[in-house]
Amino acid sequence: MKRTSNIGGQAVLEGIMMRHGNEYALAVRTPQGEIAVEKHEYQNFFKSKKLTTTPFIRGVFNFIESMIMGVKTLMISANYAMDEDEEEDKTEKSEKKEKLMMTITTIVSFVLAIGIFMVLPYLLMNLVKPFIASYAIRTIIEGFLRIGIFVCYILLVSRMEDIQRTFMYHGAEHKCINCIEDGKELTVENVRESSRQHKRCGTSFIFFVLIISVILLLLIPVESTIMRIVIRLALMPVIAGISYELLKLAGRSENPIINLVSKPGLAIQKLTTKEPDDSMIEVAIRAVEEVFDWREFLDEGKPVS
């Protein structure tokens, strides 16, 4: 098994959020060129610990938790990107209104993701149903169509300048984690030389979701249009649960089969991560050091002489 650091991260606007244990830190490059850092205790949205720790159940709840955390940290990073007048006006808004907006954004994002990547491919394939009699063939083609829509979506949004920079910060996040897990000191030089792909990435999770959905749908043949949509929605928690366990296993294993299964997700990460510049790497290092003692981690991994 590969020695992992159990650090989780996410790229935000001009910054990085890193989480370890019950703490998370957000480091953002301000318009003035400084690195602003916030450190907080992580508050679980779901109060029951069993929901986020029980295998095959935790996947869907941790996914929702990560979406909520993502929207929250994205809004915080957006505040740092404002000028002083905008920021002053922002502080006058009620906290309840901001939380409401965060909740609405999370729900809308979740519904759109389900609609675009799960329901839409089926509806498109339903148009050619009269020409393809085999349920299995239609389901497999639908799976490839789903992956194609996802890749096209990534290619489309990556043309936006802000998204390009976010993908660069995403690369800096992965490089920092890989640097530590490769047993190297967390310096700009070492991080720069590390890989920007990581098997625990959310991009790989989404790819696992797309693949597992095809496998499960092949096992439940239903011809009714309404029932097929219902089944796709009903299977989402199961799909997320299995995909999460695969992601966890891939992150700590160097088994050849696991590495082979991880390759497509790593390939797609070439689209969702870009090579960062040194200033972005500095931001990522600050975020890591706020929540994780990488020196102690490296010392624990050294063989006893």
Side-chain angles (χ1 to χ4, degrees), residues 78-302:
N79 290 343
Y80 283 105
M82 296 178 179
D83 59 35
E84 293 182 0
D85 292 336
E86 290 175 318
E87 180 64 25
E88 184 177 347
D89 179 65
K90 177 71 175 179
T91 59
E92 295 174 359
K93 295 181 180 180
S94 69
E95 187 175 340
K96 285 186 177 180
K97 185 176 180 180
E98 184 169 305
K99 287 183 178 180
L100 177 62
M101 288 300 298
M102 185 176 71
T103 302
I104 293 174
T105 302
T106 303
I107 293 173
V108 171
S109 299
F110 185 74
V111 172
L112 284 176
I114 296 294
I116 294 173
F117 300 119
M118 293 301 295
V119 178
L120 177 61
Y122 166 68
L123 294 177
L124 292 176
M125 275 306 302
N126 206 42
L127 296 176
V128 299
K129 183 178 178 179
F131 309 101
I132 304 176
S134 171
Y135 171 86
I137 293 176
R138 291 200 310 271
T139 302
I140 293 172
I141 295 175
E142 180 187 336
F144 280 106
L145 181 61
R146 191 175 292 120
I147 294 172
I149 291 175
F150 175 65
V151 172
C152 289
Y153 170 78
I154 295 298
L155 291 172
L156 183 63
V157 299
S158 65
R159 298 176 64 87
M160 302 168 60
E161 183 178 351
D162 286 344
I163 298 299
Q164 289 177 9
R165 291 188 61 80
T166 301
F167 284 175
M168 292 171 74
Y169 276 105
H170 190 192
E173 171 215 332
H174 284 187
K175 281 175 169 286
C176 276
I177 297 174
N178 280 322
C179 179
I180 296 169
E181 294 181 346
D182 288 341
K184 300 177 182 178
E185 293 189 0
L186 196 62
T187 64
V188 172
E189 292 74 19
N190 288 340
V191 171
R192 191 190 305 125
E193 296 173 356
S194 299
S195 172
R196 73 173 197 261
Q197 298 165 286
H198 197 283
K199 289 192 289 186
R200 291 200 309 270
C201 176
T203 305
S204 292
F205 172 76
I206 294 174
F207 182 80
F208 281 143
V209 166
L210 299 177
I211 295 300
I212 296 299
S213 66
V214 174
I215 296 173
L216 292 185
L217 290 173
L218 281 172
L219 298 176
I220 310 176
V222 178
E223 290 296 340
S224 167
T225 300
I226 295 178
M227 284 305 300
R228 291 190 70 181
I229 294 177
V230 170
I231 286 175
R232 276 156 177 72
L233 297 178
L235 282 177
M236 280 307 299
V238 179
I239 294 169
I242 296 174
S243 301
Y244 185 81
E245 298 308 318
L246 274 175
L247 189 74
K248 295 281 285 186
L249 177 62
R252 64 177 184 268
S253 174
E254 290 301 323
N255 181 282
I257 296 178
I258 296 298
N259 286 340
L260 180 63
V261 172
S262 300
K263 281 187 179 297
L266 293 174
I268 295 179
Q269 285 181 41
K270 291 182 179 180
L271 301 177
T272 61
T273 63
K274 301 297 180 184
E275 287 295 331
D277 58 35
D278 288 356
S279 68
M280 295 174 174
I281 293 174
E282 291 170 356
V283 172
I285 290 175
R286 283 290 301 276
V288 171
E289 293 184 332
E290 286 292 322
V291 295
F292 186 75
D293 189 342
W294 58 268
R295 294 177 180 83
E296 181 181 352
F297 177 81
L298 295 185
D299 287 341
E300 290 176 351
K302 292 179 181 177

Side-chain angles (χ1 to χ4, degrees), residues 26-79:
L26 181 68
V28 178
R29 181 75 68 177
T30 68
Q32 293 75 32
E34 301 174 349
I35 300 178
V37 180
E38 288 190 18
K39 182 178 178 181
H40 301 278
E41 182 178 348
Y42 183 77
Q43 301 291 333
N44 283 24
F45 182 78
F46 299 102
K47 302 305 179 184
S48 174
K49 192 174 181 180
K50 288 185 177 180
L51 293 178
T52 55
T53 57
T54 304
F56 295 102
I57 295 178
R58 60 188 176 182
V60 63
F61 294 101
N62 281 320
F63 175 67
I64 295 173
E65 291 262 13
S66 66
M67 285 190 66
I68 294 171
M69 174 60 67
V71 173
K72 180 178 180 179
T73 53
L74 191 63
M75 293 178 70
I76 296 174
S77 67
N79 290 343

